[in-house]
């Protein structure tokens, strides 16, 4: 046994409960065509319908339906036997020999005041209930699946009319108000003309302030800058100053290295054949330059210094004695 979606079923039942008062225990009025379809698809009417609607149910069959099933003979014998086991009901104002469709229409009159749920497979009867009878839930079988039809257009129109009627006071309420206030509401409505309201002005708080033009700005005015934009400008300025400092350091270091390399690579001028004083001065100057540069000439290295160094390396003493022998 399969059912339609539970969510849609609950919504439909809630709709009929709110607007038409259809609640448990559900009274289901069965048609002969529905009973025959239930036999065909092997559906237990009592158990499956109660499980489908999710509440207590009562089943009834009009006497006109039983008479029609008996008249159809062996073709509808199974439906006739099932109908005999179900409670029979008489519809007021409908004779027993009338068609079953008339009995169903009479049962749901006055916006389904008896709160019946109609179970039928008759297409013509279903169309009549949906278009002419508001507040009637219709059950049917679609290939062995139980289906509860959605609210009909007639039901929706009836509900809409009820909602509009709730907006105005009833006659009883109007009489009660007249006793309290002593004023007839109809006369009051005629005597006091309605005020005509013009178009509402826009809300000044919901509008954005117009931005001042560039030419209209005063000399002392300073444009406002958001805190986020101000923070971004400061970070940008810090990055720019950091890059300039690094460039200045790199330029100064590079210039000093180039100056030292140029001084080392510069050729040493040879002494010219001038006077002895000028040559000595030049030689002393060049020696000073060489000593400042850390360059030692071979001629300046005396044998005494070499011997002293050799002795120191070998760990011997007496470097001065060897120096004396060499001097002699």
């Amino acid at each position: 046994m399969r059912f339609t979606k539970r969510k849609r079923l609950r919504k439909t039942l809630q709709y009929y409960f709110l607007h038409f008062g259809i609640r448990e225990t559900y009274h289901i009025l069965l048609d002969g065509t529905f009973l025959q379809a239930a036999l065909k698809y092997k559906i237990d009417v009592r158990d499956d319908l109660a499980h489908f609607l999710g509440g207590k149910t009562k089943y009834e069959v009009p006497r006109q339906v039983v008479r029609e099933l008996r008249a159809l003979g062996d073709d509808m014998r199974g439906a006739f036997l099932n109908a005999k086991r179900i409670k029979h009901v008489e519809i007021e104002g409908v004779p027993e020999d009338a068609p079953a469709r008339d009995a169903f229409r009479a049962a749901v009159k006055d916006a389904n005041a008896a709160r019946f749920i109609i179970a039928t497979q008759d297409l013509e009867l279903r169309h009549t209930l949906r278009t002419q009878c508001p507040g009637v839930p219709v059950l049917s079988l679609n290939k062995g699946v139980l289906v509860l039809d959605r609210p009909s257009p007639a039901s929706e129109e009836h509900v809409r009319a009820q909602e509009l009627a709730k907006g105005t006071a009833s006659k009883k309420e109007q009489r009660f108000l007249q006793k309290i206030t002593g004023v007839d509401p109809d006369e009051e409505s005629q005597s006091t003309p309605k005020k005509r309201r013009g178009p509402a002005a826009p809300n000044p708080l919901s509008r954005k302030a117009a931005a001042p033009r560039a030419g209209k700005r005063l000399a002392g005015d300073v444009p406002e800058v958001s805190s986020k934009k101000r923070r971004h400008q400061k970070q940008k300025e810090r990055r720019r100053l950091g890059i300039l400092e690094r460039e200045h350091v790199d330029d100064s270091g590079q210039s000093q290295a180039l100056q030292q390399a140029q001084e080392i690579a510069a050729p040493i001028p040879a002494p010219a054949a001038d006077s002895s004083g000028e040559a000595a001065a030049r030689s002393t100057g060049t020696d000073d330059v060489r000593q400042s540069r850390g360059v030692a000439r071979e001629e300046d290295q005396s044998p005494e210094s070499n011997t002293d160094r050799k002795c120191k390396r070998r760990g011997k003493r007496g470097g001065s004695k060897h120096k004396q022998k060499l001097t002699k």
Side-chain angles (χ1 to χ4, degrees), residues 66-292:
V66 179
R67 188 186 61 80
E68 283 188 355
L69 293 174
R70 186 187 297 112
L72 290 173
D74 295 337
D75 294 338
M76 305 291 286
R77 183 170 179 77
F80 172 69
L81 294 175
N82 286 338
K84 285 181 67 176
R85 300 190 188 103
I86 300 172
K87 179 183 177 181
H88 298 175
V89 63
E90 292 185 4
I91 308 300
E92 295 181 1
V94 181
E96 191 172 347
D97 57 347
R101 293 173 183 172
D102 296 342
F104 283 105
R105 292 194 197 100
V108 295
K109 63 181 180 180
D110 298 334
N112 196 9
R115 299 172 184 173
F116 281 120
I117 297 176
I118 306 300
T120 180
Q121 296 290 108
D122 190 351
L123 295 178
E124 185 177 349
L125 178 59
R126 289 173 62 185
H127 178 71
T128 304
L129 294 175
R130 288 185 61 82
T131 54
Q132 299 178 11
C133 304
V136 182
V138 180
L139 270 171
S140 60
L141 282 169
N142 183 13
K143 296 180 181 179
V145 180
L146 280 169
V147 179
L148 180 65
D149 293 349
R150 294 182 179 181
S152 62
S155 300
E156 293 176 352
E157 188 65 27
H158 181 77
V159 170
R160 196 177 299 113
Q162 283 184 339
E163 293 295 334
L164 291 175
K166 287 180 181 178
T168 59
S170 63
K171 292 182 179 180
K172 185 177 180 180
E173 292 173 346
Q174 289 178 2
R175 288 194 299 268
F176 182 73
L177 290 173
Q178 187 177 0
K179 288 180 180 179
I180 294 174
T181 58
V183 180
D184 190 0
D186 296 334
E187 294 179 359
E188 186 180 2
S189 61
Q190 293 176 2
S191 61
T192 56
K194 294 183 180 179
K195 293 182 179 180
R196 298 185 63 182
R197 295 184 179 181
N203 186 3
L205 299 177
S206 65
R207 294 186 302 169
K208 292 184 179 179
R213 295 182 182 178
K216 300 263 180 154
R217 186 181 293 172
L218 300 177
D221 294 343
V222 179
E224 295 183 359
V225 182
S226 61
S227 59
K228 187 175 182 180
K229 189 174 181 180
R230 195 182 300 110
R231 198 184 313 117
H232 180 67
Q233 290 177 356
K234 287 183 179 180
Q235 291 176 358
K236 191 174 181 181
E237 186 67 21
R238 289 170 187 166
R239 293 194 203 101
R240 190 177 65 81
L241 292 175
I243 292 170
L244 291 176
E245 290 177 1
R246 287 197 297 272
E247 290 180 354
H248 177 69
V249 171
D250 294 343
D251 293 343
S252 61
Q254 187 178 5
S255 61
Q256 292 177 3
L258 287 173
Q259 187 177 2
Q260 290 180 2
Q262 289 175 2
E263 288 179 358
I264 294 172
I268 299 171
D274 294 337
S275 62
S276 61
E278 294 177 356
R282 289 176 182 175
S283 62
T284 54
T286 53
D287 293 342
D288 296 337
V289 169
R290 287 176 178 175
Q291 287 177 4
S292 64

Side-chain angles (χ1 to χ4, degrees), residues 20 22 45 59 107 117 157 213 302 312:
F20 299 100
I22 298 175
V45 175
Y59 306 97
I117 297 176
E157 188 65 27
R213 295 182 182 178
S302 61
K312 287 179 181 179

Side-chain angles (χ1 to χ4, degrees), residues 19-34:
H19 300 293
F20 299 100
I22 298 175
R23 61 175 69 87
E24 294 186 66
T25 302
Y26 301 110
H27 293 266
I28 302 175
L29 208 59
L30 298 169
D31 188 17
T33 56
F34 186 84

